Amino acid sequence: MKRTGGRPARVEDVHDLALGMPHVRVYAGTQNRPIYQVGGKSFVFFRNPRPDAFDPDTGQRYDDVIVFWVPNEGDKLAMVQDEFSPFFTTPHFDGHLSVLVRASRLGEISYDELAEVVQEAWLSRASDRRRATWLEEHLPD
């Protein structure tokens, strides 16, 4: 995922973009880590430190992991296999249509790229009706 221009993404942007999608509810989650849902389905959430995501040098669990749903396995692989991408996965997420990113690495992508990731996450979890309505309003003719 090469940077395409625009300002670097920030953690605040994740919150703003997720809340900017229609029909979104946010829940505090454990340790007050937000979970963004559409129709009762999570599409972005801030993950608690877990044993599967850790610093390989120190063994310390990452405490800043954000999870984004993706539309399909192909998109997931494209994001995590790109050597320039800050997105990653762990064996815990094998077979799960999501990617992870550390908040500390969000600045490696642009705001526009982050907006696309959040929108795709929402689209992958929204109902058919909500997805169709959003696409009709936001895609060029």
Side-chain angles (χ1 to χ4, degrees):
M1 177 173 273
K2 293 184 179 179
R3 182 174 277 199
T4 59
R7 72 163 175 79
R10 302 182 303 234
V11 173
E12 302 81 30
D13 298 329
V14 175
H15 299 291
D16 293 343
L17 289 163
L19 282 172
M21 298 303 292
H23 309 286
V24 169
R25 295 189 70 175
V26 62
Y27 297 92
T30 57
Q31 299 180 9
N32 279 336
R33 293 176 187 259
I35 301 168
Y36 294 92
Q37 294 186 342
V38 57
K41 295 179 181 179
S42 301
F43 68 99
V44 173
F45 73 89
F46 287 72
R47 190 173 187 229
N48 295 330
R50 299 290 306 265
D52 65 308
F54 60 92
D55 183 302
D57 296 326
T58 67
Q60 288 290 106
R61 293 178 182 182
Y62 294 144
D63 66 353
D64 65 342
V65 174
I66 307 167
V67 179
F68 298 90
W69 264 253
V70 294
N72 57 59
E73 188 70 20
D75 287 346
K76 176 179 180 170
L77 290 174
M79 293 173 78
V80 301
Q81 291 179 342
D82 180 341
E83 66 180 288
F84 298 104
S85 173
F87 295 97
F88 68 101
T89 190
T90 68
H92 177 77
F93 286 90
D94 285 351
H96 192 271
L97 294 179
S98 61
V99 295
L100 297 84
V101 67
R102 295 191 64 201
S104 60
R105 294 192 62 192
L106 274 177
E108 295 176 32
I109 63 172
S110 71
Y111 172 88
D112 292 340
E113 289 168 319
L114 177 62
E116 184 177 330
V117 169
V118 171
Q119 291 166 0
E120 288 293 328
W122 185 91
L123 287 165
S124 73
R125 305 294 283 166
S127 68
D128 290 343
R129 181 180 51 79
R130 287 177 176 165
R131 182 174 36 256
T133 300
W134 190 89
L135 288 170
E136 185 177 302
E137 293 172 358
H138 292 88
L139 286 183
D141 294 332

